[in-house]
Amino acid sequence: MKSFSYDASPARIVFGRGTIDTIAEEVRRLGRSRVMVLASRRLNAVAAAVTASLGDMVVARFDGAVMHTPIEVTTAALKLAESHHVDVVVAIGGGSATGLSKALALRAGFDQIIVPTTYAGSEATPVLGETENGRKTTRSSPHIKPETVVYDVDLTRDLPLGTTVTSAVNAMAHAVEALYSAESNPITDSMAIEVISGIARALPSIVDDPKNLEERAELLQSAWLAGTCLGTVGMGIHHKVCHTLGGSFGLPHAPTHTVVLPHAMAFYASAVPEVMSRIATALGVSDAATGVFDLVTACGGPTSLRELGMRHDQIEKAVELATSAAYPNPREITAAGLNELLDNAWSGRRPAIG
Ligand code: NAD
């Protein structure tokens, strides 16, 4: 028997189709009336529809969110929000829009209604990663966690296939690392297994039929559960490496997760064989790490850091940054071990069967 503690973070979740029509009601439910609509540029049409439905409640709009939440962008958005006396942010988009909303809420205390359109899962966590001077730092606070999340499956129907694959594997990574976390517990374990099997089932169907809304709903629900795992228990070397590669080398978030995950799993395989066996069963394969690598390959996702634009000579600096702070780990992290993991990920080798 394992002893554990579990902190549940409250949030209101609205899930379904056409749920963006409920946002005005959700703003009123929070007792707010001065809305800033914050959306990724590619979602301008959705932002315009939401803005129209909110009418006079919208006092500001911002469309400049970018990956890894750079401080300069937050400063510009904060200035705009404060000059319009905003009291709630409605953020529509992927993890970049959510990250900016969280950064604003932390600084100015705004309420947040998040409308996620990828599977990053950030909306379910009290965690904020921000980038300043080429370094990404993370902090956690109950003030960062959104009050309300509105999942509208219709908004994910046109998510490009490439982003769908990488973002779903990003969600899977939260689930995988939750299972071997030092803080793992039966609640996050069961959510994590549900995420892994749900994504393994839905993703290949979406590749065949990208507008299949039942499968899109499965991925969006998996994203929510995966984000809940991420927000509840500590993550391992996979997240540390991806965080470093994104924050310090500008690699794209979800594609980096997609490339690194099978190699992080192979790295841990001998230390946590029971966990890997549960993951393999959830994936419906005999080996967990190669199972994820083969799923990504079959779905046309990226398999090497080289193709994401990383240079081989950047590995040394990445190892130095990713080993700079110790944290609980199922296997000791050494520079040599991490170097091998990154070299495999850079080359895109299929992991050896563990
Ligand atoms: P993203 O938000 O940058 O979105 C990727 C691209 O897809 C963008 O160009 C966006 O405009 C576009 N897009 C999003 N939804 C779309 C849709 N439905 N249709 C068409 N295009 C769409 O990327 P992401 O991977 O979702 O998020 C990455 C960011 O989230 C990173 O900054 C990462 O650090 C952060 N993140 C934070 C946490 C956390 O808990 N703090 C968790 C996961 C990710």
Side-chain angles (χ1 to χ4, degrees):
M1 190 204 81
K2 184 179 180 188
S3 300
F4 61 92
S5 59
Y6 182 90
D7 286 311
S9 319
R12 176 173 161 78
I13 308 295
V14 180
F15 191 101
R17 292 191 58 188
T19 50
I20 53 167
D21 294 343
T22 68
I23 293 174
E25 193 184 317
E26 294 302 327
V27 171
R28 286 190 284 269
R29 176 184 273 269
L30 291 169
R32 302 299 180 192
S33 59
R34 299 187 65 79
V35 179
M36 179 178 199
V37 174
L38 195 163
S40 309
R41 239 162 246 153
R42 281 202 222 164
L43 292 161
N44 264 341
V46 183
V50 169
T51 302
S53 76
L54 292 175
D56 291 349
M57 286 198 281
V58 177
V59 294
R61 268 184 70 175
F62 188 85
D63 67 0
V66 292
M67 245 174 232
H68 308 307
T69 330
I71 297 283
E72 315 80 77
V73 175
T74 302
T75 305
L78 187 60
K79 201 169 157 199
L80 180 69
E82 289 186 331
S83 68
H84 288 89
H85 307 289
V86 163
D87 59 17
V88 57
V89 174
V90 173
I92 307 160
S96 298
T98 305
L100 177 56
S101 173
K102 288 170 154 183
L104 295 175
L106 181 66
R107 286 166 176 79
F110 307 137
D111 281 350
Q112 304 176 72
I113 299 175
I114 306 290
V115 187
T117 62
T118 69
Y119 310 116
S122 175
E123 67 281 358
T125 82
V127 180
L128 168 65
E130 298 185 286
T131 312
E132 188 170 22
N133 301 326
R135 266 208 183 227
K136 191 164 178 179
T137 52
T138 303
R139 52 186 148 165
S140 183
S141 155
H143 303 296
I144 292 172
K145 181 109 193 268
E147 279 66 25
T148 307
V149 182
V150 176
Y151 289 103
D152 189 333
V153 180
D154 288 337
L155 300 186
T156 62
R157 186 181 44 207
D158 297 322
L159 186 65
L161 205 46
T163 312
T164 299
V165 172
T166 57
S167 195
V169 179
N170 183 192
M172 187 181 277
H174 307 330
V176 165
E177 293 234 293
L179 285 164
Y180 49 68
S181 169
E183 294 154 10
S184 70
N185 61 72
I187 305 296
T188 51
D189 281 4
S190 54
M191 287 193 277
I193 291 296
E194 183 65 28
V195 168
I196 294 164
S197 61
I199 292 175
R201 207 168 45 230
L203 200 51
S205 305
I206 289 180
V207 171
D208 290 341
D209 178 12
K211 296 191 191 304
N212 184 323
L213 287 179
E214 282 306 316
E215 303 293 11
R216 288 278 181 191
E218 173 88 57
L219 286 193
L220 201 53
Q221 197 166 308
S222 297
W224 167 34
L225 296 182
T228 307
C229 292
L230 172 68
T232 310
V233 299
M235 297 282 119
I237 193 67
H238 170 80
H239 279 75
K240 186 73 186 167
V241 163
C242 293
H243 182 90
T244 302
L245 296 179
S248 300
F249 301 100
L251 293 197
H253 179 81
T256 304
H257 273 265
T258 304
V259 169
V260 172
L261 183 60
H263 301 285
M265 292 168 72
F267 175 83
Y268 282 133
S270 61
V272 284
E274 303 83 11
V275 171
M276 290 302 159
S277 164
R278 286 185 78 186
I279 295 173
T281 304
L283 289 167
V285 298
S286 56
D287 179 73
T290 54
V292 172
F293 185 90
D294 294 346
L295 176 68
V296 170
T297 307
C299 293
T303 52
S304 72
L305 293 175
R306 177 174 37 189
E307 73 191 91
L308 301 185
M310 186 178 179
R311 297 193 320 268
H312 194 267
D313 65 10
Q314 290 176 315
I315 290 180
E316 194 181 334
K317 184 70 186 168
V319 169
E320 185 193 319
L321 290 169
T323 50
S324 60
Y327 50 95
N329 238 307
R331 181 184 156 183
E332 192 196 355
I333 308 291
T334 61
L338 192 49
N339 201 74
E340 188 184 345
L341 187 166
L342 279 168
D343 185 57
N344 287 335
W346 187 84
S347 309
R349 285 179 203 110
R350 185 176 188 255
I353 292 184

